[in-house]
């Protein structure tokens, strides 16, 4: 039994004393202890060494007091497992050296044996579960098929992923073959994370908002729903289709445990669009963590009031920024924890 199971209770449809809180990218560059390890080991060494991944995962639990841990890893381990070379360039982000253009490229992708090829993730999860000692739940994760296609076709980060969108629009047959292959490796990967000890999983569709609503319905949603249907019997699933607010009515009918929101939709509208059918997660604009602490506290209280304290997981609308002072991140978490006290 977990000592703090607030997040799991909310995902299972129960009422809680206050909303649970965690932050996307909560283990990262705003933490001095992370920066110490970052100076010593390169990115994929940190990801691939279970002891380091575990230590980094624990940092925000110990120092910020979040209600859940999220395993330190990356969505790009899946393209790596499929045989693509992924580099993490200092100050530039990811670089995939050979991108996908042809059916031959897609055929060459290997989707067998993901549990073995990414065994370091499962080892990191098992180790972290032990280290957490039943204090808070552990979140596993993967990238959504569309978001992974973006990197696999474009080769690097981009503001609009034009090449990836062009690939889908001009070569839809190939795009679907690729999306299906990514889905077919992601399902056993997340299943293995759950078996290794992840209490729930989140699927990051960070770039779904770049798609027109009809294209989201074609290239993103069907694959998100396949993943959801394959996994929801084993653990709660949170979908984070960033920017795709238009899909809320449909996704809220899918049986998903929770939907993550970015800050571009206001809580009341999201509640209306989902008719209180589903748990919502989000959606504090990460730049607001740069405000003075008293203003952070007021803004967090307003956010919880707007969502309502139930069927709700407090989080940011996207990852925490590296320039956020640690005590501001802590103030965000504390403001949520104080919420019930503020109300009474
Ligand atoms: O949330 C957590 O604390 C868990 C760890 C986590 C990382 N990446 C570690 C990381 C998670 C959940 C991710 C997911 C991820 N990775 C996404 C989806 C979420 C999102 O933010 O949209 C995406 C698109 C990636 C791909 C990726 N990895 C990019 C674009 C970058 C470079 C940009 C950046 O933030 O520097 C990374 C590197 C990365 N992944 C870092 C961390 C902590 C920074 C590496 C460093 O310089 O230390």
């Amino acid at each position: 039994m977990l000592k703090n199971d607030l997040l799991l209770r909310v995902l299972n449809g129960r009422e809680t004393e206050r909303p649970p809180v965690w932050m996307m990218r909560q283990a990262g560059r705003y933490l001095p202890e992370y920066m110490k390890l970052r100076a010593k080991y390169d990115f994929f060494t940190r990801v691939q060494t279970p002891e380091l991944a575990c230590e980094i995962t624990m940092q925000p639990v110990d120092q910020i007091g979040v209600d859940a841990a999220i395993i330190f890893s990356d969505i790009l381990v899946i393209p790596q497992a499929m045989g693509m070379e992924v580099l993490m360039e200092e100050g530039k982000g990811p670089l995939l050296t050979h991108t996908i253009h042809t059916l031959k490229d897609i055929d060459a992708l290997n989707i067998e044996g993901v549990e073995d090829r990414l065994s370091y993730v499962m080892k990191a999860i098992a180790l972290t579960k032990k280290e957490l000692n039943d204090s808070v739940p552990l979140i596993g994760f993967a990238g959504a098929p569309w978001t992974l296609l973006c990197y696999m076709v474009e080769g690097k980060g981009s503001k609009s992923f034009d090449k990836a969108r062009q690939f889908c629009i001009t070569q839809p047959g190939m795009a679907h073959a690729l999306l299906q292959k990514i889905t077919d490796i992601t399902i056993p990967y997340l299943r293995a994370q759950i078996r290794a000890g992840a209490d729930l999983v989140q699927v990051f569709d960070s770039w779904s908002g770049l798609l027109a609503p009809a294209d989201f319905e074609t290239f993103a949603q069907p694959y998100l729903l396949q993943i959801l249907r394959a996994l929801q019997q084993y653990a709660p699933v949170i979908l984070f289709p960033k920017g795709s607010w238009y899909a809320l009515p449909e996704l809220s009918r899918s049986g998903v445990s929770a939907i993550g929101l970015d800050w571009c939709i206001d809580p009341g509208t999201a509640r209306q669009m989902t008719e209180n059918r589903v748990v919502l997660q989000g959606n504090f604009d990460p730049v607001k963590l740069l405000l003075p602490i008293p203003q952070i506290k007021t803004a967090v209280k307003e956010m919880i009031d707007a969502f309502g304290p139930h069927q709700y997981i407090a989080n940011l609308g996207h990852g925490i920024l590296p320039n956020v002072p640690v005590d501001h991140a802590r103030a965000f978490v504390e403001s949520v924890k104080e919420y019930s006290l503020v109300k009474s």
Side-chain angles (χ1 to χ4, degrees):
M1 258 297 282
L2 288 168
K3 291 173 200 106
N4 175 347
D5 64 351
L6 279 172
L7 177 59
L8 293 178
R9 275 191 280 150
V10 169
L11 290 168
N12 287 319
R14 290 163 53 198
E15 289 201 350
T16 49
E17 314 75 273
R18 61 162 176 89
V21 55
W22 66 282
M23 292 182 294
M24 287 188 278
R25 294 286 188 101
Q26 64 190 19
R29 285 167 296 184
Y30 72 104
L31 286 174
E33 291 72 15
Y34 175 82
M35 294 309 280
K36 279 187 206 151
L37 292 175
R38 190 175 183 269
K40 275 211 235 161
Y41 307 98
D42 70 38
F43 181 70
F44 283 112
T45 303
R46 277 174 271 145
V47 167
Q48 290 164 7
T49 311
E51 291 73 20
L52 290 176
C54 171
E55 185 178 342
I56 295 171
T57 304
M58 293 300 295
Q59 287 173 353
V61 179
D62 296 337
Q63 289 168 40
I64 312 291
V66 283
D67 293 313
I70 177 163
I71 194 67
F72 179 77
S73 185
D74 201 84
I75 63 169
L76 298 172
V77 300
I78 280 289
Q80 283 177 330
M82 294 171 103
M84 297 181 78
E85 183 179 45
V86 183
L87 310 174
M88 194 58 72
E89 299 204 304
E90 184 68 34
K92 280 206 204 148
L95 179 71
L96 289 81
T97 51
H98 299 86
T99 49
I100 304 291
H101 302 286
T102 64
L103 214 45
K104 214 171 133 223
D105 296 333
I106 297 171
D107 287 343
L109 295 170
N110 182 353
I111 60 169
E112 302 302 318
V114 65
E115 190 159 2
D116 284 342
R117 260 173 298 131
L118 297 183
S119 62
Y120 59 82
V121 177
M122 273 46 87
K123 283 188 190 135
I125 288 174
L127 194 60
T128 305
K129 273 304 275 186
K130 222 188 269 169
E131 198 66 27
L132 282 168
N133 193 21
D134 286 331
S135 52
V136 294
L138 178 59
I139 306 172
F141 73 90
W146 156 252
T147 287
L148 288 178
L149 178 148
C150 282
Y151 288 100
M152 291 165 78
V153 170
E154 197 93 21
K156 55 184 183 348
S158 160
K159 283 206 170 69
S160 51
F161 284 96
D162 293 339
K163 288 186 195 141
R165 285 187 298 116
Q166 184 184 317
F167 181 75
C168 288
I169 300 308
T170 60
Q171 314 265 20
M174 264 207 262
H176 283 295
L178 178 54
L179 291 163
Q180 191 58 55
K181 266 193 125 163
I182 301 169
T183 305
D184 290 345
I185 188 172
T186 299
I187 290 169
Y189 174 48
L190 287 173
R191 179 79 185 95
Q193 291 189 37
I194 295 165
R195 258 200 303 267
D199 297 289
L200 64 137
V201 293
Q202 173 157 318
V203 182
F204 287 87
D205 214 348
S206 305
W207 304 116
S208 70
L210 296 176
L211 291 166
D215 294 327
F216 176 86
E217 237 178 81
T218 307
F219 297 109
Q221 183 165 286
Y223 302 98
L224 285 172
L225 294 182
Q226 277 188 47
I227 294 170
L228 171 67
R229 299 219 166 96
L231 293 163
Q232 66 193 150
Q233 57 194 304
Y234 301 113
V237 178
I238 304 176
L239 296 179
F240 176 54
K242 185 176 181 292
S244 297
W245 53 271
Y246 45 76
L248 282 174
E250 181 127 8
L251 290 178
S252 71
R253 290 190 185 91
S254 66
V256 68
S257 306
I259 304 174
L261 304 170
D262 63 86
W263 58 93
C264 295
I265 179 160
D266 70 86
T269 309
R271 284 292 187 211
Q272 266 175 10
M273 291 180 81
T274 56
E275 295 173 332
N276 296 320
R277 268 190 297 269
V278 73
V279 174
L280 296 175
Q281 170 178 282
N283 69 345
F284 204 72
D285 184 342
V287 299
K288 289 194 183 160
L289 291 183
L290 299 169
L291 288 168
I293 286 176
Q295 289 182 43
I296 294 177
K297 298 218 155 188
T298 308
V300 169
K301 184 179 177 303
E302 284 170 4
M303 172 176 75
I304 304 175
D305 282 341
F307 275 106
H310 300 300
Q311 288 191 298
Y312 175 56
I313 302 161
N315 203 320
L316 308 176
H318 202 188
I320 190 167
L321 300 165
N323 57 341
V324 168
V326 176
D327 55 335
H328 288 216
R330 210 175 282 126
F332 174 77
V333 168
E334 274 164 13
S335 316
V336 180
K337 291 186 168 177
E338 285 160 8
Y339 185 77
S340 58
L341 305 175
V342 175
K343 290 291 277 188
S344 57

